[in-house]
Amino acid sequence: MSDHFSFASAPFNELGATERGQLQELTSLVHYHHGEAILRPQTEPPSCLWVLHSGHVQQEEQGHVHILGAGECFSWRAVLTGHNQASVTALDAVQAWQLPAQTLRQLLAHNARFSAKVFSEVAGHLADDEEMDQHRELLSLLLVRVRDAYLQKPFYVDGRLDLVSVCRLLSGQKTGNALVRDVHNGVERIGMFTTTDLRDALLQPTPPAHLAVRDVARFDLVTVAPDAELFDALLIMLRHRVHRVLVKDGDTIVGVLSQLDLMSFMSNHSHLIMLQVEQARSVAELQVAALQVDNTIKLLQRGGLRIEIISRLVSELNSQIFARLWALLAPPELVHNSCLLVLGSEGRSEQILKTDQDNALLLRDGYLPPHLTDITQQFSTALLGFGYPPCPGHIMVTNPMWCQSLGAFRQTIGQWLYADNPEGKMHLAIFMDARAVAGDATLLQNARDFALNRAIGSNTFISRMASAIDQFAEPSSAWWSRLPLLGSRESETFDLKKIGTFPIVHGARALALEYRLEALGTVERLQALAHLQVLPAALERDLVETLHMLMTLKLRNNLRQRALGQAISNLVELNSLGTLERDQLTDALGVIRQFKQFLRQHYRLES
């Protein structure tokens, strides 16, 4: 390592030889340990500027958090203003150059080019923080109610009117859509006519002047309640691939919510990604959209959006990406005669950042698609390029066990249920979280009904499956009691999945199988079990809060790992947690223990 500070990077490359020599004599290299506080707010103004030589630090200032690495510097604002509002903590072993603030201020006063570069850099950071504040405000708008957004007032036309007459009315109203009142088989119904329907109508042989609007309008309208959050309305539009939803309060039509009215809320994020997904005409174009998802998650997390909302949005985005990729690679006949499934946390809509590929394919009985192996391999290879690593357990469409005809897969389910195979109970558990994202969803429902019908009468099997809650050892009682008191130098880790979320997810899954619940999400399963009075209401509430807390902690930890260039994992370093987070983790472990004891008693696992 050089003993001399490098002046190769901006803004220091604007200094002359004499100025460099003057600054070099006063510059020193300092060392900090993992977790050490380098700078605290509301203390004496720092007497220096830090330039990182190696390692990483976390800087927090006015609600903004940044991870800085080698070559980056901090405390410029404090050097310029004489006031410090930032806190900086070492995230690993850090070496940094200290440059004296007084000397830097003198150089700023006498070197115009150096001064211009410094102020340009500071202004750029301020602009980035201001943009983040704007995004935070924008994201908060997603949580307002639909009734508080701009709704187009209902404009009705008679279903018997011809298209030319309807277009005259639309022109007079300066609108691009109308609600269509009609009577079909003696029953009143409401449809919608848009300019898109007009485009399709112009391709029909009947002239528009002789074509009734009810013959081209759509009557399978998607509705949303006025008390729903705008976020829910956005999800509904994405899920149903529509540009407008009907806002109904009971039987009363309140108005029409347009996709254009929501565009401003997510103009640079999930909505833009979805448009790119829909318009992708190649795997390469789709990859561009898929690679933006994690940055959107980071923005949503920084904007303070609740973890359950983030996971639902990510689930919708991923589902559309998987479906579009399958449509690009699989011939239409294969798509029609198959059902593409996602499994695990993706199936439960609890996935956040990209982890393993967990997917499967069910084929219609009697259908033998050509080149299936090549197509499934292309699918998995493309997902790898999208940032989804292969599943370590090989639960993927490239595995013949997870790519079968419906009949053959039902036989596999029977083997999981009745054969003495220790992996069978976990394979069935994984399948019970399956969700269809493309193709014929009735194939999945058929297989799921088969599994439920066979498992319902097998209490022994469900008990064996539930016993997996104890497959990962809990922390020792001594470790547990020390958790809230761990100091900043401790290096112990905690597995947020194995010890944290898995017992909750798997316990709810076993109970859902026993009581034949259709719900896939863990929260929905817990709520349904409480409604059936299987779970005490207080325990259900604590489990939901604990699950969301652990998911939030995992997301923050994964984003931190990514910023440090580390592999994404479920392990969190306990010395990276604040006192409040350690207290929350202690409470979470208590709730998990309580739930595991409930399951042991329910399934007589200790008898």
Side-chain angles (χ1 to χ4, degrees):
M1 182 182 63
S2 173
D3 294 329
H4 298 284
F5 176 73
S6 173
F7 292 90
S9 301
F12 304 104
N13 57 356
E14 299 296 342
L15 298 176
T18 302
E19 293 169 324
R20 295 183 184 189
Q22 176 189 358
L23 187 58
Q24 183 71 70
E25 291 181 2
L26 301 173
T27 298
S28 59
L29 187 65
V30 293
H31 305 260
Y32 297 97
H33 297 290
H34 181 193
E36 188 172 352
I38 302 175
L39 191 61
R40 295 187 183 278
Q42 300 176 346
T43 57
E44 292 294 325
S47 59
C48 62
L49 174 81
W50 285 266
V51 180
L52 290 171
H53 179 74
S54 63
H56 301 82
V57 300
Q58 178 171 295
Q59 175 180 288
E60 299 184 36
E61 186 170 7
Q62 297 180 334
H64 301 283
V65 179
H66 300 283
I67 305 296
L68 306 178
E72 296 183 284
C73 52
F74 58 89
S75 77
W76 262 125
R77 296 188 204 179
V79 168
L80 295 172
T81 64
H83 301 285
N84 175 53
Q85 297 179 333
S87 64
V88 180
T89 306
L91 294 177
D92 45 22
V94 169
Q95 293 180 315
W97 296 101
Q98 284 186 331
L99 284 63
Q102 183 177 356
T103 303
L104 289 173
R105 285 192 286 266
Q106 292 174 354
L107 295 173
L108 288 168
H110 294 93
N111 186 324
R113 293 179 63 86
F114 177 63
S115 177
K117 281 289 183 69
V118 169
F119 282 100
S120 174
E121 181 177 324
V122 173
H125 289 313
L126 288 171
D128 290 341
D129 288 347
E130 182 179 357
E131 182 181 2
M132 183 61 66
D133 287 335
Q134 292 174 350
H135 286 315
R136 185 177 290 114
E137 294 174 5
L138 178 143
L139 290 169
S140 67
L141 292 176
L142 283 175
L143 304 182
V144 305
R145 304 296 175 184
V146 169
R147 67 167 70 253
D148 297 325
Y150 173 76
L151 302 179
Q152 300 175 18
K153 293 182 179 180
F155 171 64
Y156 296 92
V157 297
D158 192 301
R160 295 169 296 182
L161 277 179
D162 65 272
L163 294 189
V164 175
S165 299
V166 170
C167 288
R168 288 197 186 98
L169 294 173
L170 291 178
S171 177
Q173 292 289 325
K174 297 187 183 339
T175 183
N177 63 87
L179 297 178
V180 179
R181 283 197 176 106
D182 190 44
V183 176
H184 182 67
N185 293 332
V187 179
E188 293 185 356
R189 59 177 182 170
I190 295 292
M192 184 178 292
F193 173 78
T194 69
T195 52
T196 301
D197 300 318
L198 174 63
R199 178 200 64 191
D200 296 337
L202 292 176
L203 301 177
Q204 295 190 22
T206 305
H210 296 91
L211 190 60
V213 67
R214 65 185 176 194
D215 294 331
V216 296
R218 290 171 292 110
F219 291 90
D220 55 334
L221 302 184
V222 179
T223 64
V224 65
D227 286 330
E229 293 177 347
L230 282 179
F231 175 81
D232 290 320
L234 175 63
L235 282 185
I236 288 172
M237 289 183 184
L238 294 177
R239 185 177 300 123
H240 294 279
R241 300 178 184 240
V242 296
H243 298 282
R244 297 173 184 84
V245 291
L246 199 62
V247 182
K248 292 184 67 176
D249 188 1
D251 294 328
T252 303
I253 296 176
V254 179
V256 177
L257 179 63
S258 168
Q259 194 179 70
L260 292 176
D261 299 325
L262 279 174
M263 278 290 288
S264 61
F265 293 100
M266 301 293 277
S267 59
N268 293 314
H269 308 296
S270 64
H271 195 77
L272 180 58
I273 294 174
M274 188 52 59
L275 290 177
Q276 291 176 320
V277 170
E278 291 180 350
Q279 296 171 5
R281 294 294 177 266
S282 67
V283 173
E285 291 180 2
L286 186 59
Q287 183 182 37
V288 172
L291 292 177
Q292 297 180 51
V293 173
D294 282 354
N295 285 334
T296 296
I297 296 170
K298 182 179 179 180
L299 177 62
L300 294 171
Q301 190 270 340
R302 283 191 174 183
L305 213 59
R306 300 195 309 269
I307 192 68
E308 61 269 32
I309 294 180
I310 296 176
S311 63
R312 287 166 56 197
L313 177 59
V314 172
S315 174
E316 289 295 335
L317 290 173
N318 286 343
S319 295
Q320 299 296 335
I321 290 170
F322 298 152
R324 185 61 187 148
L325 176 61
W326 187 241
L328 288 171
L329 296 176
E333 185 181 16
L334 174 56
V335 175
H336 176 72
N337 287 284
S338 67
C339 182
L340 181 67
L341 316 177
V342 289
L343 309 164
S345 57
E346 195 72 66
R348 299 190 304 272
S349 298
E350 294 165 5
Q351 180 68 276
I352 308 295
L353 293 179
K354 299 184 182 77
T355 53
D356 303 337
Q357 296 182 33
D358 287 320
N359 46 50
L361 186 69
L362 290 178
L363 299 169
R364 198 180 310 281
D365 287 335
Y367 175 67
L368 298 175
H371 313 299
L372 179 62
T373 301
D374 292 340
I375 295 171
T376 55
Q377 186 59 57
Q378 291 173 26
F379 182 77
S380 291
T381 301
L383 287 181
L384 179 62
F386 291 3
Y388 296 90
C391 174
H394 203 37
I395 302 171
M396 303 159 58
V397 293
T398 51
N399 183 346
M401 185 173 73
W402 295 99
C403 182
Q404 299 189 66
S405 67
L406 176 60
F409 192 73
R410 286 167 53 145
Q411 293 179 4
T412 299
I413 292 174
Q415 294 171 2
W416 292 341
L417 280 164
Y418 304 122
D420 187 16
N421 182 354
E423 293 184 348
K425 58 180 181 294
M426 285 309 302
H427 283 149
L428 181 64
I430 291 169
F431 170 69
M432 295 312 296
D433 290 343
R435 178 166 55 87
V437 294
D440 186 357
T442 62
L443 295 172
L444 171 60
Q445 190 60 50
N446 187 303
R448 181 178 174 82
D449 289 343
F450 177 85
L452 286 170
N453 292 334
R454 295 301 186 278
I456 292 302
S458 179
N459 293 333
T460 301
F461 176 85
I462 298 178
S463 296
R464 290 204 315 268
M465 189 179 85
S467 67
I469 59 169
D470 290 319
Q471 69 174 305
F472 302 117
E474 294 180 349
S476 65
S477 58
W479 179 92
W480 192 312
S481 63
R482 289 189 301 110
L483 177 56
L485 306 175
L486 287 175
S488 61
R489 300 289 179 86
E490 295 282 349
S491 59
E492 294 186 82
T493 59
F494 180 87
D495 195 309
L496 292 168
K497 179 178 180 180
K498 291 181 178 179
I499 307 175
T501 58
F502 176 78
I504 301 175
V505 169
H506 189 65
R509 181 163 48 200
L511 290 168
L513 179 59
E514 178 183 357
Y515 289 93
R516 197 184 176 94
L517 301 180
E518 292 292 334
L520 295 179
T522 302
V523 170
E524 290 75 19
R525 285 169 171 169
L526 291 171
Q527 291 172 341
L529 291 165
H531 180 72
L532 294 173
Q533 297 184 340
V534 176
L535 275 181
L539 180 56
E540 176 264 324
R541 182 190 63 245
D542 290 345
L543 286 169
V544 170
E545 292 179 356
T546 297
L547 179 64
H548 287 159
M549 186 279 291
L550 291 170
M551 290 172 64
T552 301
L553 185 57
K554 182 179 185 302
L555 176 57
R556 285 205 298 262
N557 186 55
N558 289 160
L559 290 174
R560 177 177 177 272
Q561 290 170 331
R562 174 163 294 176
L564 294 174
Q566 301 171 352
I568 299 297
S569 76
N570 296 310
L571 296 178
V572 60
E573 296 180 4
L574 296 175
N575 58 9
S576 70
L577 303 180
T579 303
L580 178 59
E581 289 175 321
R582 290 200 293 270
D583 288 341
Q584 290 176 331
L585 189 54
T586 303
D587 293 339
L589 290 170
V591 173
I592 292 169
R593 264 193 170 177
Q594 184 182 356
F595 185 45
K596 291 171 76 172
Q597 186 59 31
F598 170 88
L599 292 167
R600 293 188 191 105
Q601 293 175 354
H602 183 83
Y603 290 111
R604 297 182 176 87
L605 299 180
E606 296 177 331
S607 59

